[in-house]
Amino acid sequence: NNTSSFFLMITGHVESAHHAASASPNDQLYCRYSFSYGPDWEVVHGVSLGLSQIARQGLILGGSNENSSIPNNNAIVWNFPIEISFQSTSPHGWPRLAISVYGFDFLGRDVIRGYSSLLIPLTPGRHVKWAKTYRPISGSKCQQFVNWLLGTQPEYYDSKTVTRGEGRSVTRVVSDDGMMVKVVLTVTRKNFSSFGYTTTSSSQL
C-alpha cells in the first residue's frame, strides 16, 4: 500500500436549484462547478470542473424527503455528475466546491444568476448540502440599470473567488431571489489514519 499520501474520493452530483416562490416558470438555467484546493493537493482521477446542460423550471412531486426546511417546488433539475479523487500529505487547503449559476436575460444573453461555495465534508459517507447563492452588483442604481440594459452584469473574473476570503470585503453582493443549490456528495477517505487523522462521525461534529 502507498502510504506516502492520503486520498480523498468524491462522487455525487449538483442536483438542482430551488427558487423563491416568486420565480418565473420560464427560467432556464445552467451551472458550472470547479474545485479550489491548496498547493499540497493533487487531482489523481476525474475532472476538477464541469458545465451542465440548460434546464427549465419544473415541479418536483412529493414531499420534502431530505430536508423539510427546503421546498421542493420551483426546482430546476440538472443532476450533473461529480467524480474526482485527490491525494495530499496535508489537510491544509481542504477542497472546496465553487458553483456558478447562469441564466438568460430578455435578449437571450448569458448573465450570472448566482455564486456559491461549500466545503467538501470532512467525514466519509453521503452528504446532502444546500448552498445559498449571491451575486456581485454595481455600487450605484444608475450603473445597475446600465448593466441590465447592456446585459453586462458584474461577475467574478475567477469563479473560484467565492471559495477564498481575499478581496471579498470590498465586493458588494446581493441575494435577492432566494435561490439555493442542492448538492449531493459521497465522500470516501483512504490512508488518513496512517497520518494520524481520525474519523469523527457527523453526529459528533
Side-chain angles (χ1 to χ4, degrees), residues 13-24:
H13 53 276
V14 183
E15 181 175 299
S16 54
H18 293 249
H19 273 295
S22 59
S24 168

Side-chain angles (χ1 to χ4, degrees), residues 6-8 10 35-39 41 86 88 90-97 118-124 163 187-189 192 197:
F6 58 76
F7 296 87
L8 180 70
I10 305 159
F35 284 89
S36 176
Y37 45 88
W41 292 77
F86 295 94
S88 181
S90 169
H92 178 71
W94 190 272
R96 296 187 68 100
L97 180 66
L118 58 89
L119 183 71
I120 298 303
L122 304 178
T123 56
T163 66
V187 176
T188 307
R189 308 191 326 185
F192 273 68
Y197 303 119

